[in-house]
Each structure stands twice: as C-alpha cells, then as structure tokens.
Amino acid sequence: MHDSPVVFTQGLALNKRGSRSAFPTRVSAQDVADKAGVSISAVSRTFTEGASVSASMRARVEAAAEALGFRPNHAARSLVTGRTELIGLVSNHFANPAFLDVFDHFTRQLQARGLRPLLANLAERGGADAALEMMLKYNVDAVLIATSAPPAGFAERCVEAGLPVMHLFGRGGGPVSVPVVTVDNAAAGAAVGDLMVSRGLLRLAFLGASRTDVASRDRCRGFERALKKRGVTLVAKHFTGDYSHEHGRLGLHALLDASPDIDGVFCADDIIALGAMDACRERGVAVPTSVSIVGFDDMPLAAWASYRLTTVRQPIAAMIEQAIAQMAAWLLEPDRVPASNIFTSEIVERDSLRADTPVKGRSSAARPPTAARRR
C-alpha cells in the first residue's frame, strides 16, 4: 500500500493520515525566494545558465540558497532548457574487468563537466531495444557506445531517433556517419606480429572474441599481415565468442589440441590472454618458455605477479577525455559534428613474451608517442 503525496509543514513531512515522516523536508525554490525577498522567477534565472540576472540579485539569491542548503531541481530545469544533462553509456562488456577503467573515467569526466551518466547493458537478448528505449525515455542529451561489437544497426537507430552518438572503440565507415574514438587496431596487431617474430616465434596463432567484433578482426588482420611480410604463416586463428576469461581458457585448449606445436599466441584482449595463460598452467605448458602470450588493453590485472602479461596499452583515459570533451562541445554547437580520433598505442613488455634477456616492464613503441590523429 502506498501513501498519497506528502504535504510539508514546519520542516516535517506529513502523510495523508497526518503522521510524521522520517524524511526531512526538501528546500524549494519558493523558500529561497522568500528568504531572499525576490520573486521565484529571479531564483530560476539565477540557476539557469545564460539567463539574465543582475549581479546584486544573483548574490542575494545565492546567499539565501547557501543558507538554506538549496539545490536546483535539474529535472524541473530540463523542462525549460530542453536539456537533461544525461549522457548514455551503452556497452556489452560490463562483466569484463578491463571496462572498470572505462566506467571510472567516463563518470569522472562527466561529473567534471556537470553532466550525469545513464548506463545501459547491451549484453542481454533484446538489450539493444531496451537500451534505446531507456535513452529515449530519460531524454538523454547524447549517447556514447563503448564497445567494438554493438548490436547491428544500433548506432544508426540512435541517429534516426535524433540522438547525438559517438562510438568509443568503434570503426568508422558505417552506413551512417558516427564519430569514433579508437586506436588503430590493425597497426597495433602488426606491431605485435613484428615483435613476436623478432623473438624467434614462428608457430603463431591468434585468439579473438566474436567473429563479428571489428576490433578482434582488425587486430587479427594486422597481425597476419605482419607475419606474411616476414614470410611466416599464421598457424591458426580461433574466435572464442566473447571477451572473457573462460572463453580465453577454452580457446587456448582448442588451439593446442589442434596445433600442439604453437609457440606463441596473440590474444584480442587481456582477459582472454589471462584465460589462455591459466589454460597453459592446466596443461603444464610453460609460459613463455614453451608458449609466449600477448594480450591487448593493459588492464591492471595484466601487471599482477601471477601473470606479468605482455600487452598492447590503449590510452583509455585520454580516449575517454577526448570523447567526452567533443561530446560536450557538440551539445553546445549541434551543427558541428566532431571528427573521428584515432589514437596510437604502445606495447608493454612483461614476462609472458620470450625475450633475449629478462624484461621487467620495459615499454616499446608500437607507434609514435600517444596522441590523437584526426580523420
């Protein structure tokens, strides 16, 4: 049973039966107006960005608001401005530890700009429909897609619904132009191929996520291209279906069952690589003595003593900062669609890759120093 809306009196909330509520009264704009001796419209103008209000009036209203502990009602303000200051983050990688950094940087960057996040999970069946419905229901100002494998047509549907969209970890060139912020995955894959062959690894395999995942495909394409240039044939490539530890573990078992003489594996991301390393432990295969393993992302777990994974580092913080900054600017000037930004990456060498001498966290550039290049 639900009580009817409360009526506020003398600082305590009363329900329909007249009993006191445990919740304190929220200060209203009218309370601020009364204390400051101004109209409620003056209070509204004071807390509306760009509205006309004199300096003396602003000072009186702000002093009254501070004394009362007043906070503007953003939901009510959105009715006037047409802006909710909500930015949607949609992804299908909420279970991947690497994305904890993504969500952390995303929320920090939004809060620094006075914006708020709305998260939607694409992983479940029907997740794309539910996510789009949520974005529209809460009238988000823009959407950031944070996955290299969104459901087919999702970005296009957002655009058709009138939502500004940016794609983090995406690839440009789709049927609808959506700005992307990503790394050059093919170039990074090629750098890994060059490095592994230079260490004398000639029986190499690739372990990716879904075959529909553009990041996995591009990393594999670059890797295979580099091997061919060096006269080395890719022994096997296996797509596990997802970025997860279990898929990496099972995928490595499958690779070794089919080709037991593999001496190196490039994995499409770190969590797959960690699963692959654990599969090697289960089989009694020494890493890197018998099989070298390289990942992608440089998530914090990669540096743990039990793994010491050689991996490709993406500049996640810089990428998200750039995406949010461009999105915020886009909201101010809707006609100026942001340019796509392709960031560089670097290889971080640890102990999972065979080396001439022991390597302790040495970095070698996969491309020039980390910086964005526009296209």
Side-chain angles (χ1 to χ4, degrees):
M1 181 180 296
H2 299 283
D3 290 333
S4 61
V6 296
V7 177
F8 296 108
T9 179
Q10 296 185 9
L12 293 174
L14 304 181
N15 60 25
K16 186 177 181 180
R17 299 182 183 87
S19 60
R20 289 180 176 180
S21 167
F23 298 104
T25 301
R26 293 189 62 183
V27 178
S28 69
Q30 186 63 60
D31 295 329
V32 176
D34 292 343
K35 185 171 182 63
V38 301
S39 67
I40 194 169
S41 65
V43 175
S44 176
R45 292 197 306 275
T46 298
F47 292 104
T48 299
E49 186 176 353
S52 176
V53 60
S54 68
S56 60
M57 180 75 73
R58 181 182 299 278
R60 289 169 61 187
V61 172
E62 289 180 344
E66 183 175 358
L68 295 173
F70 172 74
R71 295 293 182 273
N73 186 325
H74 284 274
R77 187 170 69 180
S78 70
L79 296 176
V80 177
T81 64
R83 293 267 309 274
T84 61
E85 299 177 352
L86 280 172
I87 305 297
L89 176 71
V90 296
S91 181
N92 47 15
H93 297 308
F94 283 83
N96 189 332
F99 269 70
L100 292 177
D101 274 349
V102 173
F103 303 140
D104 179 54
H105 290 299
F106 176 76
T107 52
R108 287 174 183 269
Q109 289 294 328
L110 287 183
Q111 288 169 193
R113 290 172 169 79
L115 302 171
R116 297 172 293 155
L118 181 67
L119 306 183
N121 196 328
L122 296 169
E124 298 298 324
R125 185 181 298 275
D129 292 337
L132 181 55
E133 179 65 23
M134 182 187 296
M135 298 298 111
L136 296 175
K137 179 179 179 180
Y138 288 94
N139 195 28
V140 298
D141 290 335
V143 175
L144 181 66
I145 301 172
T147 172
S148 56
F154 180 75
E156 290 78 8
R157 291 175 62 194
C158 289
V159 172
E160 290 169 0
L163 295 172
V165 180
M166 294 193 70
H167 193 174
L168 187 64
F169 312 122
R171 183 211 279 171
V176 174
S177 179
V178 172
V180 300
V181 177
T182 188
V183 294
D184 190 331
N185 286 295
V192 172
D194 287 336
L195 179 62
M196 296 185 81
V197 173
S198 73
R199 298 297 166 82
L201 302 169
L202 303 177
R203 299 283 299 169
L204 293 165
F206 176 81
L207 187 56
S210 167
R211 289 185 181 275
T212 62
D213 185 285
V214 296
S216 279
R217 296 206 314 267
D218 288 348
R219 291 164 192 173
C220 181
R221 177 168 54 85
F223 184 61
E224 191 168 13
R225 183 181 65 203
L227 299 190
K228 287 181 178 179
K229 285 184 178 180
R230 289 173 170 264
V232 176
T233 301
L234 186 66
V235 173
K237 49 186 171 184
H238 181 77
F239 291 88
T240 67
D242 196 9
Y243 291 108
S244 71
H245 179 279
E246 184 65 3
H247 281 97
R249 189 182 72 83
L250 295 177
L252 196 282
H253 279 302
L255 283 175
L256 290 180
D257 287 343
S259 305
D261 59 346
I262 286 172
D263 60 10
V265 181
F266 174 36
C267 300
D269 92 328
D270 285 350
I271 197 65
I272 290 176
L274 300 188
M277 292 182 74
D278 286 333
C280 286
R281 293 189 178 107
E282 292 169 359
R283 297 176 79 111
V285 174
V287 176
T289 307
S290 297
V291 175
S292 290
I293 294 178
V294 177
F296 203 106
D297 282 336
D298 195 30
M299 60 186 282
L301 278 170
W304 285 18
S306 55
Y307 292 106
R308 295 288 300 161
L309 175 68
T310 292
T311 184
V312 177
R313 175 181 293 159
Q314 296 194 80
I316 296 296
M319 291 165 65
I320 294 175
E321 181 178 6
Q322 180 72 15
I324 299 301
Q326 291 194 163
M327 186 171 282
W330 194 5
L331 294 178
L332 294 176
E333 298 185 72
D335 293 332
R336 297 188 62 180
V337 179
S340 292
N341 283 266
I342 312 300
F343 281 72
T344 59
S345 59
E346 63 178 345
I347 296 175
V348 180
E349 292 188 46
R350 299 192 181 97
D351 299 336
S352 67
L353 174 67
R354 190 167 75 190
D356 296 333
T357 56
V359 178
K360 300 297 182 183
R362 185 174 72 241
S363 294
S364 58
R367 292 182 57 82
T370 301
R373 87 173 178 277
R374 297 178 180 273
R375 69 177 184 184

